[in-house]
């Protein structure tokens, strides 16, 4: 059996190794495939199998699913402190076993956590020969290849989350995006079809496969024709960084734009129940339609002023904030474990959406007051953010221009790039 194939000529250690070297096309005569196959069958073959850890798994049940039938290996894993880390895995995490044709364990690999840049890997290996098998277990750190991934798209009539799914934005990155803009955008009410987004995030890869997604490093959102940009920046290179606009203003605000968790469930609900912002004057607040049980957040740091029942409001939480501000959260179905006088932080869960008091359907009635006079919560938008100053600002601006350059490079590679 003769096979002819074209291949690139490889001439090691010659002047032709450079990328501009001419490529030669030559025909090669391949060896007899039948002879090769016979030799392959003679050789010791091993089999690789992967299984997720299941709730309630023992070492025995896990090895059995992996197709390993090896009492020596089982005894070793049970007795070795390092190897027993195997059972520290969360259900659903993958264990990979290599076994020989007699179902004896050759090696076993599992990733025991880590972050976007590195993973901690447990390796159990057979050493010695088959007559005198013994095993070794060790934990080591495997560095991931850090890549910057970009996703972009236009919000469709199907809504924010369906668009994110269609554009393959990972769930944890979607959550980060919502959180980054929570001081300036109320995702329930502000996001509309034709809004556009672009997001650059870190992702750790090994052997070409995604290990773990990391942090969103830059996000752009064009919401109702207004451009919002946010960039991750850590002034002293520790983990305690934050998001800033490209000119150095923090994305954080004293108050969140929405007191209601923006989730797949609540977004589908809110989409059809658009509140009438202009009615706030008569109404003294804004209604957020959401399913019963949706989390309600403290929109700002403060102390609990009241928690309990009031006529009309039903179950209600009232918070007091610095500068004469207070916020009301009414019609709750349940209250978080909070007491009057207790300090709460921005984003902390204080209760759950309900329909108690004078409410015609499940929703949160939210009031924002200054010196006890109800204000339009939209005016919260006017509050000035923290701005970087001095040397920190200079360092930030030079970092920003570097990052912007990198984003622009990614942008030119993006097929679904949004315009400016
Ligand atoms: Zn209301």
């Amino acid at each position: 059996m003769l096979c002819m194939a074209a291949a690139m000529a490889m001439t090691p250690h010659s002047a032709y190794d450079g990328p501009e070297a001419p490529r030669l096309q030559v025909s090669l005569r391949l060896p007899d495939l039948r002879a090769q196959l016979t030799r392959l069958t003679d050789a010791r073959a091993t089999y690789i199998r992967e299984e997720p850890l299941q709730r309630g798994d023992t070492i025995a049940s896990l090895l059995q699913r992996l197709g390993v039938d090896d009492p020596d290996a089982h005894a070793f894993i049970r007795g070795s402190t390092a190897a027993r880390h195997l059972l520290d895995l969360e259900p659903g995490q993958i264990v990979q076993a290599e076994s020989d044709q007699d179902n004896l364990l050759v090696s076993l690999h599992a990733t025991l956590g880590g972050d976007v840049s590195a993973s901690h890997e447990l390796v159990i290996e057979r050493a010695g020969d088959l007559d005198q098998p013994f095993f070794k277990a060790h934990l080591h750190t495997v560095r991931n290849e850090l890549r910057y991934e970009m996703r972009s798209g236009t919000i469709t009539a199907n809504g924010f989350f369906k668009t994110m799914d269609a554009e393959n934005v990972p769930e944890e990155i979607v959550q980060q995006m919502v959180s980054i803009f929570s001081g300036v955008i109320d995702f329930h009410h502000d996001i509309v079809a034709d809004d556009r987004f672009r997001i650059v995030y870190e992702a750790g890869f090994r052997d070409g496969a995604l290990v773990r997604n990391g942090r969103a490093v830059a996000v752009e959102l064009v919401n109702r024709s207004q451009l919002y940009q946010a960039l991750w920046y850590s002034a002293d290179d520790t983990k305690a960084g934050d998001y800033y606009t490209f000119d150095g203003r923090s994305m954080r605000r004293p108050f969140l734009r929405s007191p209601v968790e923006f989730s797949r469930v609540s977004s589908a609900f809110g989409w059809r129940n658009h509140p009438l912002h202009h009615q706030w004057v008569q109404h003294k607040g804004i209604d957020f339609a959401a399913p019963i049980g949706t989390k309600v957040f403290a929109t700002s740091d403060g102390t609990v002023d009241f928690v309990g029942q009031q006529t009309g409001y039903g179950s209600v939480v009232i918070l007091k904030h610095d500068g004469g501000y207070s916020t009301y959260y009414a019609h709750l179905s349940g209250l978080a474990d909070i007491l009057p006088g207790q300090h709460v932080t921005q984003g902390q869960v204080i209760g759950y959406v309900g329909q108690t008091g004078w409410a015609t359907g499940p929703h949160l009635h939210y009031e924002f007051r200054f010196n006890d006079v109800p204000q339009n919560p939209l005016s919260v938008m006017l509050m000035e953010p923290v701005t970087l100053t001095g040397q920190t600002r200079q360092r930030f601006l030079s970092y920003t221009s570097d990052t912007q350059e990198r984003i622009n490079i990614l942008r030119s590679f993006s097929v679904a790039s949004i315009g400016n």
Side-chain angles (χ1 to χ4, degrees), residues 198-274:
R198 173 162 44 217
I199 185 158
V200 179
Y201 62 92
E202 299 169 334
F205 280 76
R206 201 158 67 235
D207 303 327
L210 175 71
V211 179
R212 203 172 285 111
N213 291 310
R215 174 185 290 137
V217 290
V219 197
E220 281 183 4
L221 186 63
V222 180
N223 173 231
R224 299 177 189 239
S225 302
Q226 180 161 358
L227 173 66
Y228 297 89
Q229 290 177 312
L231 194 65
W232 170 261
Y233 181 66
S234 162
D236 54 0
D237 231 23
T238 63
K239 296 240 175 208
D242 213 338
Y243 290 90
Y244 295 88
T245 60
F246 277 63
D247 57 355
R249 284 175 298 134
S250 170
M251 292 304 290
R252 284 185 195 276
R253 293 294 185 280
F255 288 85
L256 298 178
R257 290 277 288 111
S258 166
V260 173
E261 181 189 31
F262 182 63
S263 67
R264 283 169 190 271
V265 177
S266 70
S267 71
F269 203 92
W271 211 262
R272 284 185 292 274
N273 290 272
H274 204 284

Side-chain angles (χ1 to χ4, degrees), residues 292-298 304-310 313-319 327-340 342 344 348-356 364-365:
I292 287 179
T294 304
K295 287 174 188 158
V296 174
F297 303 130
V304 179
D305 194 37
F306 180 87
V307 49
Q309 306 296 315
Q310 284 192 5
Y313 282 145
S315 270
V316 60
V317 172
I318 303 171
L319 302 180
T327 49
Y328 285 57
Y329 310 81
H331 310 314
L332 300 172
S333 63
L335 298 162
D337 200 6
I338 49 171
L339 294 167
Q342 186 183 325
V344 291
Q348 184 176 332
V349 176
I350 52 170
Y352 303 90
V353 170
Q355 199 181 328
T356 56
L364 179 80
H365 172 90

